[in-house]
Amino acid sequence: MAGGIGSRFWPMSTQKFPKQFQDILGVGRTMIQQTYDRISKLIPKEHIFVITNKEYVALSQQQLPEIPEENIVGEPLMKNTAACNLYMANKIAEINPDATMIVLPADHLILKEDVFLEKVELAFDLASKHDYLVTLGITPTRPDTGYGYIQFVEKKGSEYFKVKTFTEKPILEIAQNFLESGDFLWNAGIFIWNIKSIHHAFEMYLPEMMQHFMACEYNSENENSCIETIYPKVQKISIDNGILEKAKNVYVIPAILGWSDLGTWTSVYENTDKDENGNAVKLKHLLTYNSKGNIIRLKNNNKAVIIDGLENYIVVDTDKALLICPRDNDQLIKDYVLDLKSFK
Ligand code: GDD
Ligand code: MG
């Protein structure tokens, strides 16, 4: 899945050039390329698909020349992740109705690749044999309101658990309670299911969407025009709100992956080197006084910067925009960007 615009990551991530197509951590591969590198160790490239907005099809092809061109699928509108999951499941069903698929966000950092591959193999094993919707679960480290929270039924000695409750993006107070209880995992947003199970879930929980998508013939000449006709009618909802929160057959595999959704400035802050005052800055000409816990990114690294008395802030400067915001408010950047659109 590579169709988001990463607006919590503005102004580095923009509608024209979203974060999944950028080398955010400076490691030489973009986020989507890293996602491909990781999963291609398990899945042949002919079986790897990218689903993104049609605006990013060319960019995806450019960055992933290994993948057959027809496997890069463009959506006419941004409808969030339920629609793109159903679209993709329908295309795969046409090739093999018994297939088991893994759904991966294109913007995650996973440091422990061997653990990831091992857990994914277990997930494939479970999802190919059972009517399970499988997700990977991460031990939460902070009351982040940008994630899904999973409560599960503990079973001694098992490597996977039945999910009791799934709460997508709770408010801070609830996230805090979940964290303190020690009973919850974060949803990593990586899903594994067989085509029949996910179709069944859509029939149960998003039947209207299922109806719309049934009108099209997949992998046919008419697919594109049919998709163009149905998309405006399709509900805009995430797979988490639409399916995972409601389904009764969700299972979680806890996994220590060195995982991070590089979705916010705080997550980048946590995953980059910091100076002795905890400032994540990579600038040639920087002087800091009484300042700590900041993340500062400038497009022009040659600019001289002086900060005095700044604590726990995000400062990002590009050609077109300057953002200055407390780190604690990083989830609000999405709203700021919306406000900016109406302001223009
Ligand atoms: N094709 C397509 N179309 N892709 C999309 C769309 C869309 O309309 N919207 C988002 N995506 C892609 C994004 O590019 C990203 O790779 C992935 O789908 C997930 O979307 P996000 O917008 O990043 O979701 P999130 O981070 O708020 O929440 C999800 O991930 C969290 C963990 O990172 C949920 O699954 C949470 O429960 C989870 O904790
Ligand atoms: Mg995300």
Side-chain angles (χ1 to χ4, degrees):
M1 298 186 289
I5 52 170
S7 53
R8 275 167 297 188
F9 211 50
W10 184 88
M12 192 142 141
S13 185
T14 58
Q15 189 150 355
K16 282 228 159 64
F17 196 29
K19 61 175 176 175
Q20 60 270 29
F21 302 107
Q22 298 190 35
D23 176 10
I24 285 172
L25 295 176
V27 291
R29 296 281 280 166
T30 66
M31 299 311 294
I32 194 171
Q33 287 173 329
Q34 290 185 55
T35 308
Y36 169 82
D37 294 345
R38 209 177 289 131
I39 203 62
S40 60
K41 304 219 162 71
L42 215 58
I43 296 187
K45 55 185 187 301
E46 296 76 21
H47 291 191
I48 299 178
F49 294 80
V50 173
I51 180 132
T52 187
N53 193 274
K54 64 179 178 192
E55 212 183 316
Y56 311 134
V57 166
L59 205 49
S60 306
Q61 282 168 346
Q62 235 171 46
Q63 295 202 356
L64 297 173
E66 302 89 343
I67 295 184
E69 263 185 30
E70 63 275 18
N71 288 14
I72 297 184
V73 182
E75 295 175 282
L77 295 168
M78 274 193 58
K79 288 289 183 172
N80 212 329
T81 52
C84 75
N85 269 281
L86 183 53
Y87 186 6
M88 214 58 252
N90 286 342
K91 283 180 74 71
I92 294 171
E94 198 51 43
I95 304 167
N96 175 8
D98 295 318
T100 301
M101 63 191 273
I102 179 167
V103 182
L104 297 155
D107 50 5
H108 284 177
L109 174 71
I110 292 179
L111 296 173
K112 296 188 181 163
E113 197 176 278
D114 45 342
V115 182
F116 167 76
L117 294 172
E118 186 194 311
K119 300 296 176 188
V120 169
E121 281 193 289
L122 169 64
F124 265 107
D125 189 49
L126 290 173
S128 59
K129 291 183 184 143
H130 305 277
D131 177 22
Y132 289 175
L133 308 178
V134 183
T135 174
L136 303 187
I138 309 290
T139 306
T141 51
R142 54 174 190 272
D144 201 305
T145 54
Y147 296 149
Y149 284 73
I150 294 172
Q151 190 183 29
F152 55 94
V153 185
E154 187 91 57
K155 205 170 97 190
K156 273 227 163 84
S158 182
E159 276 191 89
Y160 63 93
F161 305 107
K162 188 165 174 36
V163 171
K164 213 192 291 182
T165 61
F166 186 114
T167 312
E168 179 64 6
K169 298 192 178 39
I171 58 163
L172 184 63
E173 214 183 356
I174 295 179
Q176 203 107 40
N177 284 341
F178 286 171
L179 182 74
E180 280 160 18
S181 78
D183 285 347
F184 287 77
L185 293 170
W186 280 337
N187 169 38
I190 297 169
F191 305 112
I192 303 94
W193 42 55
N194 71 60
I195 299 287
K196 293 201 168 83
S197 296
I198 195 61
H199 268 154
H200 187 229
F202 270 97
E203 264 160 26
M204 298 262 291
Y205 305 112
L206 292 171
E208 251 184 64
M209 192 180 290
M210 187 76 182
Q211 276 294 327
H212 287 310
F213 274 89
M214 286 221 310
C216 299
E217 230 178 276
Y218 293 90
N219 307 337
S220 76
E221 268 175 28
N222 310 328
E223 179 185 312
N224 271 350
S225 58
C226 183
I227 288 289
E228 295 268 350
T229 337
I230 64 163
Y231 252 71
K233 301 181 233 167
V234 161
Q235 195 186 346
K236 193 172 189 172
I237 188 168
S238 72
I239 187 86
D240 316 277
N241 285 132
I243 304 280
L244 278 304
E245 278 193 326
K246 302 188 177 93
K248 308 279 181 282
N249 57 337
V250 184
Y251 283 76
V252 65
I253 302 178
I256 300 168
L257 303 175
W259 172 94
S260 183
D261 172 353
L262 290 180
T264 58
W265 284 108
T266 297
S267 60
V268 175
Y269 173 79
E270 285 179 348
N271 286 291
T272 42
D273 297 338
K274 290 172 267 295
D275 67 13
E276 63 281 6
N277 294 316
N279 293 308
V281 280
K282 284 182 189 154
L283 295 171
K284 284 189 206 142
H285 314 291
L286 171 78
L287 292 175
T288 59
Y289 304 92
N290 310 312
S291 294
K292 55 184 184 199
N294 302 294
I295 174 160
I296 302 178
R297 285 292 151 94
L298 309 186
K299 176 117 188 265
N300 175 2
N301 268 346
N302 290 319
K303 238 184 206 176
V305 178
I306 301 174
I307 49 172
D308 184 358
L310 195 68
E311 272 187 34
N312 302 328
Y313 261 73
I314 304 163
V315 179
V316 185
D317 187 34
T318 66
D319 290 341
K320 295 227 169 106
L322 168 66
L323 169 78
I324 304 172
C325 136
R327 261 181 43 217
D328 281 350
N329 286 357
D330 65 352
Q331 291 290 344
L332 298 179
I333 296 173
K334 208 173 190 164
D335 304 328
Y336 304 156
V337 174
L338 283 177
D339 290 347
L340 188 66
K341 275 189 187 141
S342 52
F343 175 71
K344 273 182 187 164

